[in-house]
Amino acid sequence: MSHTNQTLGEFIIENQASFKYTSGELSRLINSIRLAAKVVNHEVNKAGLVDIIGAAGDTNIQGEDQQKLDVYANTKFIQTMTNRNIVCGIASEEEDDFISINSQDKNHQNKYVVLIDPLDGSSNIDVNVSVGTIFSVYRRVTPVGTPVTMEDFLQKGDQQVAAGYVIYGTSTMLVYTTGDGVNGFTLNPAIGSFYLSHPNMQFPETGRIYSVNEGNYTHFPQGIKDYIKYCQMEEGDRPYTSRYIGSLVSDFHRNMIKGGIYMYPKSSQNSKGKLRLLYECNPMAFLAEQANGLASDGFQRIMEIQPTQLHERVPFICGSKNMVRKAEEFMRLAP
Ligand code: P6P
């Protein structure tokens, strides 16, 4: 099939055979994420018009005010995956504990668990800045036929079978991998279909963009401070350009297309940094490595970290291979 104008549905069917677990369940899972993304996109795009922005009054386990769209997105993604009877368990940034899907999967026959950040960057919603959904998929490790346990969710990132994000930006895109490269699909809102617009996405080996919240500079490890000064130094292709949107999906997406590095380091205020390992760092790390990039905590591959808690945080450095390696060099000299 010609890849021009190929829809996401056609792409999934064409590539299903190349996925080693060809039961078709993963394809149905990606299709359910596609549906939920369209539903959430509709609400995100009109957030300014109806009283759906602003805190829902609750706070999530992270102690952050829950925006109404956070709650809405969380509900829609969980509903869609539950109703399609595809997964046996779901963990979400917005849920204190994981959810065992018993309603449809009464005999616990489904094989996949999904971890999700339903609306990352939600503090940007009421200032009309791009936000995103991040998802990570594993095969369960406990026996089929039994209820899922925490063990099914606390798997290393290198065990992921799929990962991706939806970016609700100037256009809405679904970008994902099943371990055979990264492909980006853009939504045509007029007809509600995603089209293959960015086949085989790759990070340039190096880049000239660095993304970090420099407001935290004084609290960073010395190695990060030294790397930031390296980026700013007049030498060779430097100084680099600083670009930081405050939305991981947006900064990652731009850096993957143009080349660049994103950092959310540990600091004297956050000893593990801010980003969550299971539903932010691991999926973005899987995408990064599938797109010829790297993702580390400054010392080791993100995807080799053994999780111990559902909402644990890790320092995160991710992007163009040569830039991540240079940042790691500075971290080794001054951790
Ligand atoms: P700060 C959004 O809350 C998020 O998790 C990422 O999307 C974003 O890159 C980061 O936190 C922004 O955090 O502390 O710089 O505002």
Side-chain angles (χ1 to χ4, degrees):
M1 167 182 285
S2 154
H3 284 169
T4 53
N5 296 329
Q6 186 174 38
T7 67
L8 174 56
E10 290 160 345
F11 180 89
I12 289 172
I13 291 165
E14 184 179 280
N15 291 279
Q16 180 166 299
S18 68
F19 181 59
K20 58 185 173 182
Y21 306 109
T22 54
S23 66
E25 271 183 279
L26 186 69
S27 298
R28 286 170 48 221
L29 175 49
I30 300 294
N31 273 314
S32 73
I33 288 170
R34 169 179 63 164
L35 172 62
K38 287 195 268 190
V39 171
V40 170
N41 175 65
H42 180 69
E43 290 305 317
V44 167
N45 277 348
K46 66 178 187 181
L49 300 175
V50 296
D51 178 30
I52 196 167
I53 61 177
D58 299 332
T59 57
N60 61 22
I61 193 170
Q62 326 298 340
E64 296 165 343
D65 287 346
Q66 276 195 296
Q67 304 274 347
K68 284 182 179 176
L69 268 177
D70 271 352
V71 178
Y72 179 84
N74 187 51
T75 303
K76 286 304 165 191
F77 275 93
I78 291 173
Q79 262 175 4
T80 310
M81 287 186 283
T82 301
N83 296 343
R84 295 238 172 147
N85 190 19
I86 305 162
V87 298
C88 51
I90 299 172
S92 170
E93 184 201 26
E94 304 299 341
E95 303 287 340
D96 296 353
D97 199 356
F98 67 83
I99 300 166
S100 180
I101 305 298
N102 302 318
S103 50
Q104 272 79 351
D105 186 17
K106 295 191 185 334
N107 301 318
H108 313 294
Q109 293 306 303
N110 292 337
K111 304 183 194 64
Y112 294 106
V113 296
V114 176
L115 298 99
I116 193 162
D117 185 355
L119 209 60
D120 181 71
S122 54
S123 57
N124 289 314
I125 291 168
D126 47 5
V127 293
N128 205 12
V129 168
S130 302
V131 291
T133 297
I134 307 172
F135 63 90
S136 171
V137 184
Y138 294 84
R139 290 174 70 81
R140 67 178 300 176
V141 291
T142 55
V144 173
T146 64
V148 288
T149 70
M150 185 62 83
E151 188 186 355
D152 294 305
F153 296 92
L154 299 182
Q155 299 185 53
K156 287 184 181 180
D158 58 11
Q159 298 303 303
Q160 291 175 97
V161 294
Y165 58 81
V166 184
I167 179 169
Y168 309 100
T170 47
S171 62
T172 296
M173 283 188 70
L174 172 59
V175 177
Y176 79 96
T177 182
T178 55
D180 188 22
V182 176
N183 293 283
F185 301 82
T186 300
L187 178 66
N188 179 338
I191 52 177
S193 292
F194 282 97
Y195 286 90
L196 179 62
S197 54
H198 296 67
N200 190 27
M201 297 183 81
Q202 296 266 301
F203 272 96
E205 292 272 330
T206 192
R208 300 190 60 256
I209 295 170
Y210 70 100
S211 306
V212 65
N213 183 342
E214 294 191 57
N216 300 324
Y217 179 86
T218 55
H219 305 295
F220 285 153
Q222 189 55 46
I224 293 290
K225 290 179 180 176
D226 295 341
Y227 179 66
I228 290 172
K229 290 305 171 198
Y230 169 85
C231 293
Q232 296 169 344
M233 197 184 294
E234 188 94 31
E235 186 182 42
D237 64 344
R238 288 171 284 128
Y240 297 155
T241 296
S242 173
R243 287 284 183 277
Y244 189 71
I245 298 173
S247 173
L248 168 61
V249 169
S250 304
D251 282 315
F252 181 98
H253 187 76
R254 180 206 52 243
N255 290 351
M256 181 159 60
I257 293 171
K258 291 183 177 285
I261 186 171
Y262 171 97
M263 300 181 285
Y264 208 103
K266 69 177 182 180
S267 71
S268 49
Q269 298 164 308
N270 298 309
S271 62
K272 292 285 189 184
K274 174 184 181 183
L275 301 188
R276 293 70 151 188
L277 173 60
L278 290 182
Y279 40 79
E280 290 179 320
C281 300
N282 269 333
M284 301 311 270
F286 191 18
L287 288 163
E289 293 196 5
Q290 284 289 313
N292 189 42
L294 291 176
S296 87
D297 64 358
F299 305 99
Q300 63 181 318
R301 278 177 75 212
I302 287 291
M303 293 205 286
E304 284 173 358
I305 297 173
Q306 176 55 57
T308 56
Q309 292 175 5
L310 207 50
H311 300 286
E312 73 180 80
R313 303 171 192 264
V314 290
F316 190 56
I317 298 175
C318 174
S320 293
K321 198 171 280 188
N322 295 346
M323 298 181 84
V324 174
R325 284 181 177 143
K326 177 59 79 173
E328 289 174 333
E329 272 179 40
F330 280 97
M331 282 301 285
R332 276 192 293 274
L333 291 170

